[in-house]
Amino acid sequence: MTNAYKIAILEGDGIGPEIMTQAIRIFDVIQSSCDVAFELTKTPFGAGAYFEHGKAFPDETKQVCDEADAILKGPVGLSHEESKKIPVEEQPERGAILPLRARFNTFANFRPILLSKDMVHFSPLKPEIIENGIDILLIRELVGGLYFGEKERGIDENGLRYVKETLEYNEQQVRQVLVVAFDQARQRKKRLHNIHKSNVLMSSVFWNEILDEVHKDYQDIEVVHLLVDAAATALCLNPGQFDVMVMENMFGDILSDQAGGILGSLGLMPSACIGPDKAYFEPSHGSAPDIAGQNIANPYSMIGSVAMMLEMSFNMRSESQAVWTAMKSVFESGYSTADLSTSSDTTQLVSTVVFGDMVVAHLEKLLST
Ligand code: IPM
Ligand code: MN
């Protein structure tokens, strides 16, 4: 019997719709050459949804997501100035993304930091540092910490305005993401970098205690402890030392953008947000309103998010691999999108649509053999 999957499509803002158009073509190619059917439902989400429906995450979208087997989400958000036209609590980061993460308890965020040998010229790092490419899996806790802790603003006894934001975790929240990270380490190089700030933060002392408990079930895994500030330096000086990294929400937000920097562009980082019952997939980058509608955005992270969905939600490993290979082939043939080009390289620039055309052509060939 043909497997049939329902997928909620949240295009988002800025470059979201144009890169999503390219990602959707991947589902078409796969269902025309494999025994699988995808039912895609587009539904509003983000700043556009707020202006049209009064909510950044409308009820209708919640329902489509509830009924979907998996969710594919584009980037959301507006420029700093445009954002001010939306009430703070409905601005899409707070009004849409965080509620989406909370709704499906997507506690484990997988961010692959991957640069094949043939793509190392995109990195700003010296060739001798990354001659073998980069292959790191960053796992970020996604539904706790400062992002979701209690927040308060007010006026103190001295008449001064103040703000208070709390970093909260319970042991179950920490344990569940560590278990995911240890499992990944076991499938990879059996080395786990634990990123923390236990020299200052009580939350890191707590995190590390839970880690020691979980480690007892994973004695085959070597744990390397590294302070988050030192990790930032190490990512630049010697990224090859890392295989799987795990960290709390805010640390992961910052270090994953830095990781995008060592790849050459955040345009090269898809991600998977995994909960107990459902997962959603999204590029790690923003909606780039400054280049929206110009057909120059890099659709790699959006298409890579489809590849991650195929593997992680539908267990379609070989098809997922074919999507990665197809994208790599485009770069290996000497093409790139504008975000990756530097004045000194010799790659030929292609548009969003042409990048999509090339991926589709490679993919069709791969799936037909
Ligand atoms: C990310 C983004 C989000 C985050 C924003 C858009 C809420 O930067 O996914 O990394 O901070 O988690
Ligand atoms: Mn971020």
Side-chain angles (χ1 to χ4, degrees):
M1 212 182 72
T2 304
N3 280 325
Y5 299 114
K6 286 187 184 170
I7 300 167
I9 301 286
L10 283 44
E11 288 182 311
D13 305 312
I15 58 172
E18 50 195 302
I19 57 175
M20 186 64 88
T21 300
Q22 301 312 314
I24 287 175
R25 298 174 71 187
I26 304 301
F27 292 114
D28 295 336
V29 173
I30 292 190
Q31 66 183 352
S32 62
S33 54
C34 310
D35 190 22
V36 62
F38 299 111
E39 187 192 315
L40 309 187
T41 307
K42 278 194 190 175
T43 183
F45 189 78
Y50 171 77
F51 289 124
E52 258 178 58
H53 306 272
K55 290 238 168 269
F57 189 9
D59 290 344
E60 163 201 342
T61 300
K62 290 182 182 158
Q63 197 181 334
V64 173
C65 292
D66 287 350
E67 288 166 9
D69 295 300
I71 300 161
L72 188 65
K73 176 197 148 292
V76 302
L78 301 174
S79 66
H80 189 67
E81 280 309 310
E82 287 292 305
S83 284
K84 290 186 188 155
K85 298 181 183 157
I86 306 180
V88 171
E89 69 283 358
E90 282 299 325
Q91 287 171 1
E93 294 83 352
R94 259 179 299 260
I97 298 187
L98 299 191
L100 175 69
R101 291 175 182 171
R103 189 173 188 85
F104 301 111
N105 187 21
T106 54
F107 64 86
N109 181 207
F110 288 60
R111 297 195 161 174
I113 303 158
L114 204 59
L115 201 65
S116 70
K117 259 183 151 174
D118 304 286
M119 289 164 67
V120 292
H121 54 284
F122 292 138
S123 173
L125 299 186
K126 293 193 189 105
E128 58 265 34
I129 296 180
I130 47 160
E131 55 191 350
N132 296 319
I134 303 176
D135 182 3
I136 304 170
L137 175 60
L138 187 152
I139 296 182
R140 165 187 177 192
E141 199 292 325
L142 201 61
V143 294
L146 281 169
Y147 276 61
F148 290 89
E150 253 177 61
K151 296 164 202 299
E152 186 183 295
R153 288 183 63 156
I155 301 191
D156 68 16
E157 61 274 20
N158 302 316
L160 297 174
R161 288 171 295 168
Y162 75 88
V163 64
K164 198 156 88 188
E165 205 141 39
T166 47
L167 199 167
E168 293 173 37
Y169 277 109
N170 68 33
E171 58 178 302
Q172 188 207 341
Q173 284 179 300
V174 176
R175 190 172 294 115
Q176 65 189 3
V177 71
L178 290 175
V179 165
V180 168
F182 273 109
D183 282 339
Q184 289 302 314
R186 191 168 264 171
Q187 289 170 39
R188 293 173 53 116
K189 293 190 182 153
K190 297 197 175 358
R191 193 171 65 240
L192 176 63
H193 274 83
N194 176 47
I195 310 302
H196 61 90
K197 185 73 184 171
S198 71
N199 53 348
V200 175
L201 299 179
M202 190 54 72
S203 53
S204 286
V205 173
F206 179 79
W207 174 283
N208 291 353
E209 281 170 18
I210 309 291
L211 185 132
D212 288 342
E213 292 167 22
V214 177
H215 194 189
K216 293 196 178 105
D217 294 331
Y218 294 88
Q219 290 182 17
D220 52 323
I221 309 296
E222 178 201 1
V223 172
V224 184
H225 293 281
L226 199 56
L227 295 170
V228 61
D229 47 354
T233 308
L235 263 178
C236 294
L237 296 184
N238 178 15
Q241 71 190 277
F242 297 113
D243 186 47
V244 180
M245 308 170 81
V246 65
M247 65 206 78
E248 72 87 40
N249 202 346
M250 185 86 213
F251 295 165
D253 181 45
I254 297 168
L255 280 196
S256 61
D257 266 38
Q258 189 191 338
I262 69 170
L263 294 180
S265 167
L266 256 194
L268 295 180
M269 204 192 295
S271 88
C273 311
I274 310 287
D277 310 312
K278 200 166 313 226
Y280 86 87
F281 300 83
E282 64 178 355
S284 302
H285 58 71
S287 57
D290 52 323
I291 59 160
Q294 295 177 33
N295 192 24
I296 56 172
N298 182 356
Y300 178 100
S301 300
M302 197 71 250
I303 295 173
S305 298
V306 175
M308 294 186 83
M309 178 188 289
L310 293 171
E311 176 177 349
M312 300 175 85
S313 285
F314 309 141
N315 204 20
M316 298 177 69
R317 282 170 170 269
S318 59
E319 291 80 3
S320 168
Q321 210 44 58
V323 175
W324 287 114
T325 306
M327 287 205 291
K328 233 171 65 178
S329 305
V330 175
F331 294 123
E332 284 167 12
S333 317
Y335 298 99
S336 79
T337 45
D339 55 317
L340 290 165
S341 87
T342 60
S343 50
S344 60
D345 74 28
T346 54
T347 53
Q348 197 180 324
L349 288 195
V350 291
S351 67
T352 311
V353 174
V354 170
F355 186 90
D357 291 343
M358 290 175 163
V359 173
V360 164
H362 282 292
L363 185 61
E364 281 171 342
K365 211 153 89 205
L366 286 164
L367 294 176
S368 68
T369 51

